[in-house]
């Protein structure tokens, strides 16, 4: 890449493209006057006892004054002419012209030969930590003079002060920019996450339960937080020959990991159910699959109730297997409420030798079965206590004889009533056998 | 509703240490348990006892934290014991088979007495 802006080739440093990039990086060109740099110029003039001092930045085709002392207000920049600043930045050490009229380096420089009549010039480069010379801190006089090592060292120190100041500003600008970017990104992520979560949740839940002749089914999923996808799940699916499989459960954790685990769990249960008629074997299969996921310290487990049911002329015969999940409820048409608890089932996915319990049940016409996750029973009611099993049993008793959709609607109202007391995701699945028509 | 969890760590008898948990252990507070366990392990704790006498609530996230700590401690030849489970927590642990994963003692002192001495 070449830089052709009418500046003599001899004034272009070998690293000019990268040097200009560094100049741009500090974003100082054409900024308004600034106390910190003005003080450096004033300090240079006073310490070195000269009438003129400037802080300059060498741009593509111009030398721009960031600060100046002893120069008129109207002088804001000069051309990148040889002899002074444009030459000074070619050197890593301070640059000294004791008499510009006789010095061959300044021949033809307009500051020397023009109205200003500069005779003396001393400069130290402003050098970035990565070695690019942005400009100079320099002093000028209209009469020839000398400058000792100490004077040049002072200029170098002042140039270092300017560099420090530029670094500080860059750091501040970068911080502000990063902060702003990260805030914008966080907002975008947040929105994206909500969309993903909603999509995931839709993907993870069956869009609607199948219509089954002789069996009513309804479900509800309450999402406690749009930020953290919960890990509750349920499903109801045909196994053929008037047989149905259903399950409901809760995987550990929240968020994307839980969502992935939920998905794995659902597909495993459905797949296993199609070729194994024994609910305990289905859970054992899931246990094996989840154990394979438990490779790091964080366990991947779930609690679940998994059932297989057959519709008969007199109702629904079912076998419910449980792995670490709260019991299901049977709501009898006559008003009795029974816990259906496959007692002694382990969490699924924790133990290689896990055992799972099984409990049989029969639903007669008008009876219903309710499966739920512990978001329901562990919701806080007024006063701070947990909703608990007893209250649930009481509520269920009031729903005796109701079809599945009415049971779910009533519980949905109950959940809504918990307000902020409902901290966790909650899944509900109800099955009911329609009352026999006389 | 903001759940709160307090953890007091008793590190005075390494390699045995006791964490006293009070309040609620859930999705929001479980990371603090993880951290307390990490700190204890970094201080040389190999046999950790969690005293849950004053723990009012323990969600599945809390159980996950205990399971993860158990696995990490076992890998170093250590143990994790639980003590002082209230009736509800005891029921959950029995319901889920977790009583097989953790030695459970009535009190932290009982758990301490059972720590292998080798």
């Amino acid at each position: 890449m070449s830089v052709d802006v009418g500046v003599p080739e001899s004034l272009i440093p070998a690293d000019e493209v990268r040097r200009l990039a560094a100049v741009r990086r500090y974003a100082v060109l054409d900024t308004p006057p600034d106390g910190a740099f003005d003080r450096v110029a004033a300090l240079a003039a006073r310490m070195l006892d000269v009438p003129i001092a400037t802080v300059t930045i060498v741009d593509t085709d111009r030398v721009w004054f960031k600060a100046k002392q002893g120069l008129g207000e109207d002088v804001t920049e000069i051309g990148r002419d040889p002899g002074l600043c444009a030459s000074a930045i070619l050197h890593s050490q301070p640059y000294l012209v004791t008499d510009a009229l006789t010095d061959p380096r300044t021949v033809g420089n307009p500051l020397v030969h023009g109205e200003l009549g500069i005779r003396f010039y001393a400069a130290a480069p402003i050098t970035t930590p990565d070695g690019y010379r942005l400009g100079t801190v320099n002093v000028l006089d209209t009469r020839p003079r000398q400058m000792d090592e100490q004077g040049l060292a002072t200029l170098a120190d002042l140039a270092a002060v300017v560099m420090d100041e530029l670094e500080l500003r860059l750091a501040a600008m970068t911080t502000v920019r990063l902060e702003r970017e990260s805030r914008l990104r966080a907002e975008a992520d947040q929105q994206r996450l909500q969309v993903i979560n909603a999509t995931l949740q839709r993907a993870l839940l069956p869009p609607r339960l199948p219509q089954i002749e002789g069996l009513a089914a309804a479900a509800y999923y309450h999402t406690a937080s749009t930020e953290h996808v919960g890990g509750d799940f349920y499903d109801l699916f045909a196994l053929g020959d008037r047989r149905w499989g259903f399950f409901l459960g809760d995987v550990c954790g929240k968020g994307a990991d839980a969502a992935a685990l939920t998905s794995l769990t659902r597909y495993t249960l459905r797949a296993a159910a199609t070729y194994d008629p024994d609910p305990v074997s289905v859970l054992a299969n899931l246990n094996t699959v989840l154990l394979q996921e438990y490779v790091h310290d964080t366990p991947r487990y779930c609690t679940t109730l998994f059932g297989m049911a057959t519709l008969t002329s007199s109702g629904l015969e079912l076998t419910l297997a449980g792995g670490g999940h709260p019991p299901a409820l049977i709501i009898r048409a006559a008003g009795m409420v029974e816990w259906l608890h496959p007692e002694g089932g382990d969490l699924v996915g924790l133990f290689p030798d896990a055992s799972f319990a099984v409990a049989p049940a029969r639903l007669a016409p008008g009876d219903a079965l309710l499966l739920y996750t512990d978001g329901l029973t562990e919701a806080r009611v007024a006063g701070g206590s947990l909703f608990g099993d007893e209250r649930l049993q009481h509520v269920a008793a009031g729903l005796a004889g109701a079809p599945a959709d009415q049971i779910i609607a009533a519980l949905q109202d109950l959940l809504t009533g918990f307000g902020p007391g409902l901290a966790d995701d909650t899944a509900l699945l109800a099955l009911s056998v329609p009352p026999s028509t006389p | 509703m903001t759940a709160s969890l307090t953890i007091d760590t008793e590190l005075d008898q390494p390699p045995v240490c006791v964490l006293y948990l009070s309040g609620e252990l859930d999705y929001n507070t479980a990371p603090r348990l993880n951290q307390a366990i990490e700190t204890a392990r970094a201080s040389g704790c190999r046999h950790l006892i969690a005293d849950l006498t004053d723990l009012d609530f323990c969600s599945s996230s809390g159980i996950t934290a205990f399971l993860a700590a158990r696995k990490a401690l076992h890998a170093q030849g250590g143990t994790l014991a639980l003590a002082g489970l209230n009736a509800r927590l005891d029921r959950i642990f029995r319901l889920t088979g977790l009583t097989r994963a953790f030695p459970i003692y009535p009190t932290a002192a009982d758990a301490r007495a059972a720590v292998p001495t080798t």
Side-chain angles (χ1 to χ4, degrees), chain A residues 245-306:
Chain A
F246 61 94
F247 56 80
L248 175 142
D250 185 359
V251 304
C252 64
K254 292 183 186 184
D257 280 355
L261 193 58
T262 303
S263 187
L264 177 68
T265 299
R266 284 188 60 217
Y267 289 114
T268 304
L269 287 174
R270 285 192 72 139
T274 56
Y275 58 79
D276 203 324
D278 174 17
V280 167
S281 304
V282 171
L283 287 190
N285 198 311
L286 176 63
N287 191 61
T288 306
V289 169
L290 293 185
L291 271 172
Q292 284 165 8
E293 295 292 303
Y294 184 9
V295 284
H296 301 294
D297 280 352
T298 309
R300 300 261 177 262
Y301 62 90
C302 74
T303 72
T304 187
L305 290 175
F306 175 86

Side-chain angles (χ1 to χ4, degrees), chain B residues 6-84:
Chain B
T6 310
I7 305 172
D8 290 317
T9 307
E10 191 177 292
L11 270 173
D12 53 335
Q13 287 177 293
V16 181
C17 70
V18 184
L19 299 185
Y20 296 91
L21 279 70
S22 61
E24 301 186 358
L25 181 55
D26 61 13
Y27 180 74
N28 295 309
T29 59
R32 305 221 324 266
L33 174 62
N34 288 328
Q35 203 171 14
I37 292 172
E38 273 312 303
T39 307
R41 286 178 55 213
S43 315
C45 173
R46 289 296 166 269
H47 300 289
L48 197 142
I49 298 162
D51 187 329
L52 311 183
T53 309
D54 295 318
L55 190 68
D56 302 322
F57 180 78
C58 178
S59 78
S60 65
S61 298
I63 289 169
T64 303
F66 284 128
L67 287 165
R70 167 184 176 267
K71 190 165 184 180
L73 285 161
H74 279 196
Q76 295 175 307
T79 57
L80 171 59
L82 306 180

Side-chain angles (χ1 to χ4, degrees), chain A residues 191-359:
Chain A
Q191 286 182 359
R192 201 155 42 230
L193 191 64
Q194 289 189 2
V195 172
I196 291 171
N197 280 355
T199 310
L200 267 175
Q201 207 78 77
R202 278 199 304 275
L204 293 173
L205 297 178
R208 59 192 175 86
L209 297 175
Q211 298 283 327
I212 304 171
E213 199 194 327
L215 186 67
Y220 176 65
Y221 192 102
H222 169 85
T223 310
S225 158
T226 50
E227 289 153 56
H228 303 293
V229 187
D232 290 3
F233 58 89
Y234 63 83
D235 209 348
L236 169 63
F237 53 99
L239 290 169
D241 205 17
R242 292 182 58 83
R243 290 175 62 245
W244 297 87
F246 61 94
F247 56 80
L248 175 142
D250 185 359
V251 304
C252 64
K254 292 183 186 184
D257 280 355
L261 193 58
T262 303
S263 187
L264 177 68
T265 299
R266 284 188 60 217
Y267 289 114
T268 304
L269 287 174
R270 285 192 72 139
T274 56
Y275 58 79
D276 203 324
D278 174 17
V280 167
S281 304
V282 171
L283 287 190
N285 198 311
L286 176 63
N287 191 61
T288 306
V289 169
L290 293 185
L291 271 172
Q292 284 165 8
E293 295 292 303
Y294 184 9
V295 284
H296 301 294
D297 280 352
T298 309
R300 300 261 177 262
Y301 62 90
C302 74
T303 72
T304 187
L305 290 175
F306 175 86
M308 285 180 171
T310 307
L311 272 169
T312 66
S313 52
S314 59
L316 190 73
E317 301 285 343
L318 66 98
T319 308
L320 191 66
H325 198 84
L329 271 177
I330 294 176
I331 308 168
R332 298 291 180 197
M336 264 131 50
V337 174
E338 302 162 14
W339 296 105
L340 180 60
H341 192 190
E343 212 154 346
D346 292 330
L347 289 173
V348 190
L350 271 189
F351 310 108
D353 58 346
S355 65
F356 302 107
V358 70

